[in-house]
Amino acid sequence: SAVISQKPSRDICQRGTSLTIQCQVDSQVTMMFWYRQQPGQSLTLIATANQGSEATYESGFVIDKFPISRPNLTFSTLTVSNMSPEDSSIYLCSADTRGQGAETQYFGPGTRLLVL
Amino acid sequence: GENVEQHPSTLSVQEGDSAVIKCTYSDSASNYFPWYKQELGKGPQLIIDIRSNVGEKKDQRIAVTLNKTAKHFSLHITETQPEDSAVYFCAASLGTGGFKTIFGAGTRLFVKA
């Protein structure tokens, strides 16, 4: 299994500012993902964070708005740039253990973001 | 691309009764089907998963069944307890290659004591 931690757990930010969310996994993992979850809704994939290369973004999400870093096999960051109230959401980091005996995806506790 | 539909959106049961959540998927190539439980204020937790070479899997009070022909899979919770109250998500993925997981819309389960 994989244990995932995220920082910060929650934040209140002003419109126009940026927030960087950190994600740490307790073991090396091949793939890491970033999701957004609106209150009461399902999970929407923002991007796949690839180690050593640029992230792969899903339709509707762009690198300028959500830059992602993946410097090694246990860590990733997601930045929410130039925030607006529409960015208020829960941001979830996820990692999968493919190649390590099982193709299983685990999630962090989430970062609850409120933009005023 | 893959599409996962989940029903019901809300389910209320009496403590001790069984709860069943059903999902259908569209991509016949999908071969990995996890279920997640999300409690209020927490991230989704994997509770059980099933792969396409298996028709049923059980872990204590929870079980999952898969019908590949009909492209549907179900979560069964027996002897429900108040702590089972949460939102449950089904998902489907190819399991290899791009490994993109598609999630259902979620089912909010209420277990009444």
Side-chain angles (χ1 to χ4, degrees), chain A residues 1-4 23 25-35 48-50 70 73-74 93-108, chain B residues 32 36 46 51 93 95-101:
Chain A
S1 66
V3 177
I4 303 173
C23 177
V25 188
D26 70 341
S27 59
Q28 293 185 344
V29 291
T30 307
M31 298 176 75
M32 295 180 71
F33 308 89
W34 287 98
Y35 287 82
T48 301
N50 305 306
R70 178 88 193 271
L73 292 175
T74 64
C93 173
S94 176
D96 86 80
T97 56
R98 182 173 63 166
Q100 295 157 269
E103 295 161 351
T104 304
Q105 192 169 354
Y106 298 92
F107 285 87
Chain B
Y32 176 60
Y36 291 86
L46 179 71
R51 300 176 197 277
S93 83
T96 57
F99 195 75
K100 185 181 295 186
T101 303

Side-chain angles (χ1 to χ4, degrees), chain B residues 48-110:
Chain B
I48 196 168
D49 56 12
I50 191 167
R51 300 176 197 277
S52 60
N53 58 346
V54 176
E56 183 174 359
K57 184 177 179 180
K58 189 174 182 180
D59 183 2
Q60 300 182 4
R61 294 187 298 107
I62 60 174
V64 59
T65 59
L66 171 65
N67 183 328
K68 285 217 71 178
T69 302
K71 289 189 284 187
H72 67 71
F73 55 113
S74 301
L75 177 71
H76 304 252
I77 306 174
T78 58
E79 300 173 24
T80 53
Q81 302 167 2
E83 50 265 38
D84 294 330
S85 296
V87 178
Y88 291 81
F89 292 99
C90 64
S93 83
L94 293 176
T96 57
F99 195 75
K100 185 181 295 186
T101 303
I102 307 299
F103 289 85
T107 296
R108 187 171 297 276
L109 174 64
F110 297 96

Side-chain angles (χ1 to χ4, degrees), chain B residues 9-73:
Chain B
S9 57
T10 305
L11 179 60
S12 184
V13 300
Q14 203 67 37
E15 181 179 4
D17 288 349
S18 295
V20 180
I21 302 170
K22 299 182 178 181
C23 291
T24 60
Y25 61 99
S26 60
D27 190 343
S28 57
S30 291
N31 59 10
Y32 176 60
F33 308 91
W35 286 87
Y36 291 86
K37 175 184 180 182
Q38 187 174 28
E39 297 174 297
L40 193 62
K42 298 183 178 180
Q45 279 189 303
L46 179 71
I47 56 172
I48 196 168
D49 56 12
I50 191 167
R51 300 176 197 277
S52 60
N53 58 346
V54 176
E56 183 174 359
K57 184 177 179 180
K58 189 174 182 180
D59 183 2
Q60 300 182 4
R61 294 187 298 107
I62 60 174
V64 59
T65 59
L66 171 65
N67 183 328
K68 285 217 71 178
T69 302
K71 289 189 284 187
H72 67 71
F73 55 113

Side-chain angles (χ1 to χ4, degrees), chain A residues 15-99:
Chain A
R15 180 195 301 260
T17 62
S18 297
L19 176 72
T20 295
I21 303 168
Q22 298 180 5
C23 177
Q24 180 74 53
V25 188
D26 70 341
S27 59
Q28 293 185 344
V29 291
T30 307
M31 298 176 75
M32 295 180 71
F33 308 89
W34 287 98
Y35 287 82
R36 184 170 71 184
Q37 185 180 30
Q38 306 281 16
Q41 302 296 313
S42 188
L43 290 74
T44 300
L45 181 63
I46 297 172
T48 301
N50 305 306
Q51 196 269 333
S53 64
E54 280 195 4
T56 304
Y57 289 83
E58 297 300 305
S59 175
F61 297 97
V62 296
I63 187 172
D64 290 346
K65 176 67 176 178
F66 297 101
I68 287 171
S69 78
R70 178 88 193 271
N72 56 52
L73 292 175
T74 64
F75 187 79
S76 178
T77 66
L78 169 75
T79 299
V80 187
S81 304
N82 188 26
M83 287 184 286
S84 66
E86 292 72 38
D87 295 320
S88 298
S89 189
I90 300 169
Y91 292 86
L92 292 158
C93 173
S94 176
D96 86 80
T97 56
R98 182 173 63 166

